[in-house]
Amino acid sequence: ISIEQLFSVGRKNAMDPNEKFSMAVAAMNLSAFRNAVSELHRLVSQDMWNGLWPNLPTAEVPITNVTNGVHLPTMLNGDLAGLYDQYLQPDWRERYYEKKIWEQVHEIPDAEMWEAHRKRKKQLTIFVRQHAVALAQRRKAPSREIKQLEDIFDPDAFTIGFARRFATYKRATLLFRDPERLKRLILNSDMPLQIVIAGKAHPKDTPGKTFIRDIVQFSRDPQMAKRVIFLENYGLRIAKEMVQGVDLWLNTPRRGEEACGTSGMKAALNGVLNFSILDGWFDEAYETSGSWAIGERVPYSEDQDELHASDIYSLLETEILPLYYRRDEDGVPVDWIERMKTCLIHTSPQFNTQRMLDQYTSHLYRPAAQAFAEFRADHFALARQKDQWNQAIRQAWDRVHFREIGASASGMITAGTAITLRAVVDLAGLSSSDVRVEAVMGRLSSDGRIESAEVVELLPQGGANPVQLFASEVTPRQSGRLGYSIRVTPNHSHDPLRRPCNSPVKWVG
């Protein structure tokens, strides 16, 4: 092929020689399947790439989702695994993706779960101190400073963890937006709070590096030195210690910009509760995670920074900290442990890599492999036939048009009553099997748009070439003011996920 043909594959408008080549557009054009990595990411991606399917409603853009997962055997701490060995089924390590395995978490005594968590916090405390001392010695800090670092962090204080890339959309400094209010929380002698932070910025990301500098400067306040710790040289070891040992995992991205996020999953698999914006994976997990949400399910705007910071402080003051420090006569925070168990029961079987890989295999990999096997048979005979068919479609498509549409009923109908939708289409020499005629039906909005639509295929009923009748009986599933429209497309596939980019679509009218 020519270089110009190659470039056209990476353009939204293949005929525009001035449009730059996009690797993302090329990937979309050359893929039979496209997936996002969370449900919300799918919605964002469908809206972002709607231009590649300009005549389709956004909700029908052929992008599906497989939500990410994390490898539970790798990320689970040993103390919690030991409890599972005692109280779960003996083969839980092989069946951890089954929901019923986790029902027995309720049988773990609260005191034993609390003790297992306290062990991880003590280990985190030792790690933080050793890490800070080692870095201080490396930069030849004064002996007095090194001595002080040997006493930082309190294993009994409520601990918030935050560790990730310092990309600006993650809003790492949101917690520090009101320094005085945060100091009051940290220095509260009845309900003390401490924060451990880690992460890196891209070398050329100046705003991200500025965030790190601001946090480090805050931590050097003499009053904060033992309570706010920034761990340098972020890596897998630091991440594992943090997600296994903190009490609360903080996540503050701008909603709609975190594709999935997995650090919160790693924390949740260790019984660490999340405190997060409803973005990425947490948008799916929130209601069953035993955790807390920051803000609402609304698109991000800059004025939310102040609101979300205020939410963080208020929830910490009025709900989270009091719940954590409310203990029974044995010193166990029973209500907090109940939330931990809820978190473990619901997130462990759902947000792991086994479930993720099972979904990739069944939804995407196997269908793609089967399709490729069909295409490569007989020296790619089917691929050559498809190319000839595409050329025939392109030559005829401008002349394809609707002659007539109609429904067997109009006005008021009773819920559950079947109606017949029909369309007479001039196929311009194409056969009825070359096209797919569909009705899109749903509730009408105040401005006449169809919402919550369902798509119904109208089946060929015969006719005299080039005119063909398509019709099907439909039972509306919704009540209220309903509307429908009808469209015709080339019959590329019975699987809507495989609809090619810029596939032609003609709507009635």
Side-chain angles (χ1 to χ4, degrees):
I1 64 172
S2 68
I3 192 69
E4 196 55 39
Q5 285 177 295
L6 174 62
F7 285 163
S8 69
V9 173
R11 294 171 177 151
K12 288 185 178 181
N13 181 359
M15 307 307 293
D16 182 2
N18 297 314
E19 183 180 338
K20 291 184 178 181
F21 179 90
S22 164
M23 187 66 80
V25 172
M28 294 278 192
N29 271 315
L30 297 174
S31 300
F33 298 91
R34 310 153 192 94
N35 75 278
V37 292
S38 70
E39 290 181 7
L40 183 57
H41 185 220
R42 171 177 57 82
L43 299 177
V44 171
S45 299
Q46 287 176 316
D47 184 60
M48 182 185 299
W49 296 107
N50 196 191
L52 291 176
W53 293 270
N55 292 313
L56 277 184
T58 300
E60 289 188 66
V61 169
I63 298 175
T64 186
N65 72 277
V66 176
T67 302
N68 281 340
V70 295
H71 192 238
L72 186 144
T74 296
M75 300 311 303
L76 184 66
N77 77 68
D79 295 297
L80 200 51
L83 287 179
Y84 292 166
D85 287 336
Q86 294 181 58
Y87 294 98
L88 270 56
Q89 293 293 332
D91 58 349
W92 70 269
R93 295 174 190 270
E94 288 74 45
R95 298 170 57 200
Y96 61 80
Y97 51 89
E98 297 180 20
K99 291 183 179 180
K100 63 181 181 181
I101 286 291
W102 298 96
E103 294 172 0
Q104 292 174 293
V105 166
H106 282 303
E107 298 178 15
I108 301 175
D110 292 347
E112 291 188 35
M113 179 162 283
W114 180 237
E115 185 57 29
H117 182 63
R118 288 184 70 236
K119 284 183 180 179
R120 303 314 296 190
K121 284 190 71 175
K122 289 177 181 177
Q123 181 170 315
L124 174 63
T125 300
I126 294 169
F127 176 80
V128 167
R129 291 173 179 175
Q130 291 176 343
H131 187 82
V133 167
L135 287 173
Q137 290 173 337
R138 194 175 305 161
R139 69 171 189 270
K140 296 181 169 44
S143 57
R144 185 181 63 179
E145 179 184 338
I146 293 175
K147 186 67 176 175
Q148 290 174 339
L149 290 173
E150 292 174 351
D151 193 36
I152 61 173
F153 232 56
D154 180 357
D156 295 320
F158 180 78
T159 305
I160 295 177
F162 181 100
R164 50 190 40 86
R165 288 184 302 115
F166 268 72
T168 51
Y169 79 86
K170 295 177 183 284
R171 298 191 295 178
T173 56
L174 196 63
L175 178 62
F176 302 89
R177 193 173 180 89
D178 187 339
E180 295 307 314
R181 192 172 181 183
L182 180 59
K183 284 182 180 180
R184 289 197 297 272
L185 282 169
I186 292 172
L187 299 174
N188 184 334
S189 58
D190 295 325
M191 297 185 294
L193 163 70
Q194 61 190 6
I195 307 164
V196 56
I197 301 173
K200 291 179 178 178
H202 188 279
K204 293 185 178 180
D205 183 2
T206 301
K209 290 189 287 187
T210 300
F211 279 3
I212 293 176
R213 182 195 64 194
D214 293 344
I215 292 171
V216 171
Q217 286 180 343
F218 182 87
S219 71
R220 287 176 177 169
D221 182 316
Q223 291 182 299
M224 300 293 105
K226 293 185 178 183
R227 296 290 189 210
V228 180
I229 310 298
F230 184 87
L231 298 178
E232 299 177 37
N233 298 330
Y234 182 51
L236 183 59
R237 172 73 194 283
I238 291 177
K240 287 186 71 171
E241 292 291 346
M242 288 180 64
V243 298
Q244 293 177 356
V246 301
D247 297 301
L248 191 72
W249 195 255
L250 182 66
N251 185 35
T252 53
R254 301 168 186 154
R255 177 174 161 86
E257 297 189 33
E258 185 75 85
C260 180
T262 54
S263 65
M265 296 180 191
K266 296 166 188 171
L269 297 184
N270 287 283
V272 173
L273 302 183
N274 275 262
F275 191 24
S276 175
I277 298 293
L278 289 160
D279 199 13
W281 80 282
F282 192 68
D283 190 58
E284 301 169 38
Y286 165 55
E287 277 77 9
T288 58
S289 67
S291 299
W292 290 270
I294 303 167
E296 305 292 337
R297 287 186 171 98
V298 295
Y300 171 78
S301 57
E302 287 189 7
D303 61 336
Q304 290 177 5
D305 290 350
E306 186 69 37
L307 180 64
H308 289 168
S310 180
D311 275 356
I312 291 172
Y313 301 133
S314 296
L315 280 167
L316 285 172
E317 290 168 343
T318 62
E319 186 171 343
I320 297 175
L321 285 166
L323 185 73
Y324 179 82
Y325 283 105
R326 189 185 307 143
R327 309 290 169 89
D328 65 8
E329 60 274 10
D330 297 318
V332 177
V334 175
D335 295 331
W336 187 272
I337 295 296
E338 183 61 31
R339 281 183 175 257
M340 288 177 64
K341 290 181 177 180
T342 298
C343 175
L344 293 169
I345 289 169
H346 290 284
T347 59
S348 299
Q350 181 62 20
F351 296 99
N352 62 72
T353 47
Q354 186 63 51
R355 184 272 313 157
M356 178 187 75
L357 287 173
D358 286 347
Q359 287 185 340
Y360 269 112
T361 302
S362 60
H363 299 355
L364 301 170
Y365 296 161
R366 282 196 181 121
Q370 181 180 351
F372 180 66
E374 293 170 358
F375 268 94
R376 75 179 299 178
D378 195 15
H379 302 288
F380 290 92
L382 183 58
R384 293 184 174 87
Q385 292 173 20
K386 193 77 169 177
D387 181 60
Q388 293 173 358
W389 181 80
N390 277 325
Q391 292 184 44
I393 291 290
R394 283 194 293 268
Q395 291 171 3
W397 195 252
D398 285 344
R399 304 192 307 278
V400 173
H401 63 279
F402 287 95
R403 290 280 191 92
E404 177 190 341
I405 67 162
S408 62
S410 61
M412 190 75 70
I413 62 171
T414 305
T417 300
I419 60 174
T420 299
L421 299 180
R422 55 192 295 275
V424 178
V425 188
D426 187 330
L427 296 180
L430 299 175
S431 70
S432 58
S433 63
D434 288 331
V435 299
R436 185 178 178 90
V437 179
E438 297 170 319
V440 179
M441 174 177 284
R443 188 177 291 110
L444 288 178
S445 65
S446 58
D447 61 355
R449 295 179 179 273
I450 295 176
E451 298 177 333
S452 304
E454 59 177 306
V455 178
V456 179
E457 183 181 6
L458 304 189
L459 302 176
Q461 306 295 324
N465 281 332
V467 178
Q468 294 286 321
L469 170 66
F470 295 81
S472 285
E473 192 175 78
V474 181
T475 303
R477 299 178 184 178
Q478 305 177 59
S479 59
R481 185 167 169 254
L482 304 181
Y484 71 92
S485 187
I486 295 178
R487 68 191 181 202
V488 58
T489 67
N491 195 11
H492 286 288
S493 170
H494 290 293
D495 181 358
L497 276 181
R498 300 193 205 185
R499 193 189 301 270
C501 296
N502 294 301
S503 176
V505 181
K506 285 194 173 182
W507 293 82
V508 167

